[in-house]
Amino acid sequence: MASVEKERSVLVLFGNIINEVVSFFVFCLLDLLDAVLCYVFKVADFVIEAEWRPCYCSSSAKGRIKDVAGDGGQIVVSERSECKVVRLSSGKLMMEEVSDTLYSRPSLVSEVSRSTVKRLKVMNRPTATAVSSSYRKSKAWRPTRPTLFTVNSDILEMLQENISVGRPVPRWSDCACSHCTSWTSRGTNMLFVRAAGVKDDNKAPEDVLFIHGFISSSQFWSGTLFPNFSESAKATYRFLAIDLLGFGRSPKPRDSLYTLKEHLEMIEKSVLEPNKVKSFHIVAHSLGCILALALAVKHPESVRSLTLLAPPYYEVPKGAQAPQYVMRKLAPRKVWPPMAFGGSLLCWYEHITRTICLVICKNHRLWESLAKLITRNRIREFMFDEFLCHTHSAAWHTLHNVICGAAAKLNSYLDAVNSRLKCRVTIFHGKDDEIIPVECSYNVQRRIRRASVKVIENKDHITIVVGRQKAFARELEEIWRRSTNNE
């Protein structure tokens, strides 16, 4: 028995070494490919759209933000020996809303080199006595002050352009079909909402707000849960499933940076206010859990229950940069397991992911027809709306500005839910989830002590709902009933 365990541990070690070596070479090649695609898209954008657009991987000199003012404020940037002032034409965007993972994504070679140099410096670091002695000998020595925020000057231009210029027309690399651009014909910038259940808001005692996850849409809920709610639930609740900004049939503005603040404001403007929602339950999946927590903290008296599915909450070690830490947890730059490889592509490579959107999302109708032909029309329609009807800008910015960028805020959100809200909090997680580990749900439970965690055997990130929609519909109805009756 001991020999078997020893052999297994040797095989695991050998497999990890192979994974590390293969991953290093694969991601070095991907770094190079992304750099090449950067110039390809710059030329294509200039030829097709007559504009040379900056990107987040630009390699020009870095500037340091010295001052950020309020509305109509300015950012003073120092570049080498000269200073530039970049003015923001609107107070719509606060700089702290923009995650540093957008522009601080070093190549694998540079990151390995930097970490190696850092370790060597730690090994050769002089003792405290030596430093003190050196200081006494030379008063020129001063402890360095940490840089709070560094940003590329091209990125400042991009942020300025995104704030001040509105472009309802999709980019050449995005899909322009009637489904993806239906928001332009509606003549409104409101989110698309699928409503079911009680139609009259005056007769519905409570509303239920469904928030989908990353690269998804409202059909994740309407195609699974809505048909499986009981007649009693349909006569009691009004179900409101939204397409988040940039996804499904909702607006996909080119001038948006898809920050947490923008997503919340759109939910309030498009769902809560026009539908006169005053008391509501929230059901959220993955990315939607972050928005659900922020919404609950903003409307603590209105939330009756909070149901979270696979919340992406990672406990950030003290002293670590929260956005960077979360990005590396989601995207470890490994070729195995496959989910880690896919997540690494999504997080690290701006132009490779734009190429994928160009090939797949722009031509989603073609892929949908081929899939229906191959499966003899047995594939569910919502699977295509869920994964393919978004723009690259929406997915890229939402991933970095919400999932990674909001990491530093989640502790305060969870603490506020624990102390200020009295609603029932229930967390569901698939045991086989390879995208968001089960530990994330238990991390939430440690912050919200009254939360209950239900781990579903043999289910993953998607099948936590898809495939068990009838059972999950019954579970939700029970949660809402008990919350209404204060049980």
Side-chain angles (χ1 to χ4, degrees), residues 113-313:
S113 301
R114 191 158 44 233
S115 63
T116 303
V117 171
K118 187 176 180 180
R119 288 173 185 171
L120 291 174
K121 285 183 178 179
V122 170
M123 292 172 61
N124 297 325
R125 182 177 295 169
T127 61
T129 304
V131 171
S132 177
S133 175
S134 174
Y135 175 77
R136 285 192 296 268
K137 291 179 181 178
S138 173
K139 292 185 179 181
W141 182 87
R142 294 289 186 276
T144 57
R145 298 178 64 182
T147 300
L148 295 179
F149 204 95
T150 57
V151 68
N152 189 287
S153 60
D154 280 354
I155 292 167
L156 288 174
E157 294 175 21
M158 180 188 299
L159 297 180
Q160 183 187 28
E161 179 182 358
N162 281 349
I163 291 172
S164 60
V165 181
R167 289 187 175 90
V169 180
R171 302 192 67 179
W172 68 269
S173 56
D174 294 326
C175 180
C177 73
S178 58
H179 179 92
C180 293
T181 60
S182 59
W183 62 281
T184 59
S185 61
R186 293 200 303 268
T188 176
N189 284 330
M190 308 284 270
L191 298 180
F192 181 78
V193 182
R194 296 180 191 272
V198 177
K199 302 298 183 182
D200 187 353
D201 58 343
N202 295 319
K203 294 182 179 179
E206 294 167 12
D207 293 297
V208 185
L209 179 61
F210 293 85
I211 308 177
H212 64 75
F214 183 60
I215 307 184
S216 187
S217 77
S218 58
Q219 286 218 44
F220 182 76
W221 308 111
S222 63
T224 56
L225 293 178
F226 284 16
N228 289 287
F229 284 126
S230 66
E231 293 302 321
S232 174
K234 293 177 182 178
T236 304
Y237 303 101
R238 180 173 54 171
F239 308 124
L240 302 170
I242 62 173
D243 286 347
L244 291 174
L245 183 68
F247 298 87
R249 298 189 181 185
S250 282
K252 303 172 179 66
R254 286 174 56 177
D255 62 324
S256 174
L257 289 173
Y258 298 91
T259 61
L260 178 64
K261 182 181 178 182
E262 286 178 280
H263 280 291
L264 288 180
E265 288 178 347
M266 286 298 289
I267 291 174
E268 291 173 325
K269 184 177 76 171
S270 306
V271 185
L272 302 188
E273 295 171 6
N275 291 286
K276 301 177 182 177
V277 176
K278 294 181 174 57
S279 175
F280 57 98
H281 304 267
I282 303 179
V283 182
H285 177 237
S286 191
L287 155 74
C289 295
I290 299 174
L291 300 174
L293 289 169
L295 194 65
V297 171
K298 198 169 182 180
H299 301 273
E301 302 299 326
S302 301
V303 179
R304 303 300 299 272
S305 72
L306 193 58
T307 304
L308 308 176
L309 285 75
Y313 172 60

Side-chain angles (χ1 to χ4, degrees), residues 377-398:
N377 210 33
R378 289 196 297 267
I379 195 165
R380 300 180 182 182
E381 180 184 352
F382 76 86
M383 296 298 287
F384 284 95
D385 283 345
E386 177 184 351
F387 292 113
L388 303 181
C389 294
H390 62 272
T391 64
H392 172 259
S393 178
W396 179 255
H397 286 98
T398 298

Side-chain angles (χ1 to χ4, degrees), residues 26-40:
V26 168
F27 283 96
C28 284
L29 290 173
L30 290 174
D31 288 336
L32 179 61
L33 176 61
D34 198 63
V36 172
L37 289 173
C38 172
Y39 290 100
V40 171

